[in-house]
Amino acid sequence: MRGVPGGRLTPCVLVPAVLLLAGCGGDQNALAPKSHQARDIASLFWWMMAGAWIGLAVVVALLLLSWKRAGRRGVGDDDEGSKPGERTGWYVVIGGGIVVPIVLLVALFAVSNLFVIRTTQAPAAGSTRLTVLVIGHQWWWEIRYPGSDAVTANEIHIPVRTPVRLEVRTDDVIHSFWVPQLNRKIDTLPGETNAIELYADAAGRYRGECAEFCGLQHAHMGLYVFAEPRARFERWLADQAKPAAEPSGSLAAQGRDAFMNGTCSSCHAIRGTSANGNAGPDLTHLADRTTIAALRLPNTPQRLRDWIGDPQRYKPGNEMPSVHIPPDELRALVAYLRGLR
Ligand code: CUA
């Protein structure tokens, strides 16, 4: 019989498909750690994996052994009296069924408890150089830097190789802040402040995600952590703390008037202007961000226009209503917002 055409191809397709479905690879890979905490979590994963495979191998070996023995003895001739191998059988049951699992589970518990939970718990007071406060909203992340006026959304900047205390809160429901390459998940609980350390070994952009179902747009609640050299981070933070730039040009000035007089200013703040709403992200330095709507869209003029024109199309259920804005006004609004550097 001839093989199925492309039969050799099957593993080539199946293996990546399985890895993809298991969430391996991509830019949110917990198995490509970029901090000491994430490395501990990844090694715990491999220890657990090894333990599970050893356990499975032992069980399968015992199963095969008993199968082989039963085959040798023949089925049905083992009903009466005690057999020569019975005592050994009990030892196997007690050893393999009770002693081995207890030893294995206690060892794994010790590894996770002594090393991983300890290194990933809230940092001790005074052990960090900077605090970043993240507040979960349906469905975006508000980011504040205590001690500075800087307020931004969805894109956190931190200095590289510097321990940062990350405090999380929520404005509404439970969310879970998770940047797999940097640390574990941390839930945002109503009325509570939780903390972990955020640390990055190397400069770069790390993608994160809300890891707790929080409503319709849970899947569109992404975030970035940008780890940068210290001097660059300091410059960024100083810029973010400044009030908004004045509009340059008449179109942008029209846009500012439309923003302040329309509904935008009742939900969004732009520091240095009369807009001080707090239902949506602070837009003081919107143009410095690479994305909008919690990573839903890239922050380009076209996408910004699409978003303001019909936010419900891109994130149905979000709090920003799709209102009809005349094309001229939309163009002016985009010109103003693009100038907010
Ligand atoms: Cu926020 Cu899921």
Side-chain angles (χ1 to χ4, degrees):
M1 204 177 94
R2 295 182 59 186
V4 185
R8 276 227 187 129
L9 209 66
T10 318
C12 305
V13 176
L14 272 182
V15 171
V18 166
L19 289 175
L20 199 70
L21 288 172
C24 300
D27 56 359
Q28 290 190 121
N29 187 354
L31 300 181
K34 286 291 189 298
S35 72
H36 56 277
Q37 292 95 348
R39 260 194 305 283
D40 282 355
I41 294 169
S43 36
L44 177 63
F45 169 83
W46 290 115
W47 277 105
M48 291 274 185
M49 181 74 110
W53 278 107
I54 291 169
L56 183 68
V58 169
V59 169
V60 170
L62 289 174
L63 201 64
L64 291 175
L65 192 71
S66 60
W67 183 38
K68 203 175 142 204
R69 281 194 176 178
R72 208 189 303 144
R73 229 167 28 213
V75 181
D77 55 358
D78 58 347
D79 310 333
E80 285 166 48
S82 152
K83 303 286 180 306
E86 200 163 275
R87 187 175 275 204
T88 327
W90 277 110
Y91 287 145
V92 170
V93 167
I94 291 167
I98 299 172
V99 178
V100 171
I102 287 179
V103 170
L104 211 61
L105 292 177
V106 165
L108 289 175
F109 175 76
V111 169
S112 69
N113 213 24
L114 292 180
F115 304 108
V116 184
I117 290 184
R118 190 168 294 178
T119 54
T120 58
Q121 69 190 3
S127 67
T128 50
R129 306 258 307 263
L130 171 81
T131 297
V132 179
L133 173 62
V134 171
I135 302 160
H137 295 265
Q138 281 174 318
W139 293 278
W140 58 282
W141 307 94
E142 177 181 346
I143 297 149
R144 292 178 172 270
Y145 290 79
S148 155
D149 289 335
V151 184
T152 182
N154 309 314
E155 298 188 7
I156 305 174
H157 289 239
I158 57 168
V160 71
R161 286 182 292 279
T162 307
V164 174
R165 181 181 175 86
L166 179 93
E167 292 190 346
V168 299
R169 293 183 201 159
T170 178
D171 185 48
D172 37 52
V173 299
I174 300 175
H175 305 269
S176 185
F177 178 100
W178 189 32
V179 183
Q181 287 186 287
L182 300 185
N183 207 334
R184 65 175 169 93
K185 298 171 184 175
I186 179 100
D187 282 359
T188 72
L189 303 175
E192 299 242 2
T193 302
N194 283 335
I196 45 168
E197 188 179 297
L198 206 56
Y199 184 95
D201 284 339
R205 190 186 73 180
Y206 303 100
R207 197 183 193 284
E209 193 69 71
C210 179
E212 176 81 43
F213 181 72
C214 56
L216 206 54
Q217 292 299 325
H218 158 69
H220 290 146
M221 197 169 162
L223 68 115
Y224 280 139
V225 173
F226 292 91
E228 311 171 311
R230 180 142 208 117
R232 196 164 146 195
F233 166 76
E234 302 281 6
R235 254 197 327 273
W236 175 86
L237 188 63
D239 284 344
Q240 295 296 309
K242 289 179 189 155
E246 286 298 316
S248 60
S250 59
L251 187 64
Q254 270 174 47
R256 180 192 51 192
D257 295 345
F259 191 98
M260 301 306 155
N261 302 329
T263 50
C264 308
S265 58
S266 53
C267 290
H268 294 279
I270 296 181
R271 280 169 281 134
T273 73
S274 59
N276 60 0
N278 60 5
D282 181 300
L283 303 179
T284 309
H285 297 285
L286 173 69
D288 288 339
R289 298 179 206 150
T290 63
T291 59
I292 45 178
L295 276 52
R296 177 71 181 91
L297 297 169
N299 191 6
T300 61
Q302 180 59 49
R303 286 319 214 169
L304 190 58
R305 188 170 13 231
D306 293 345
W307 170 252
I308 300 168
D310 193 359
Q312 292 301 320
R313 176 176 166 202
Y314 298 96
K315 263 174 111 158
N318 92 84
E319 284 193 41
M320 184 157 156
S322 290
V323 289
H324 176 72
I325 301 173
D328 284 354
E329 195 180 316
L330 194 53
R331 223 152 44 85
L333 275 170
V334 171
Y336 174 55
L337 294 171
R338 292 294 297 173
L340 296 177
R341 298 213 157 267

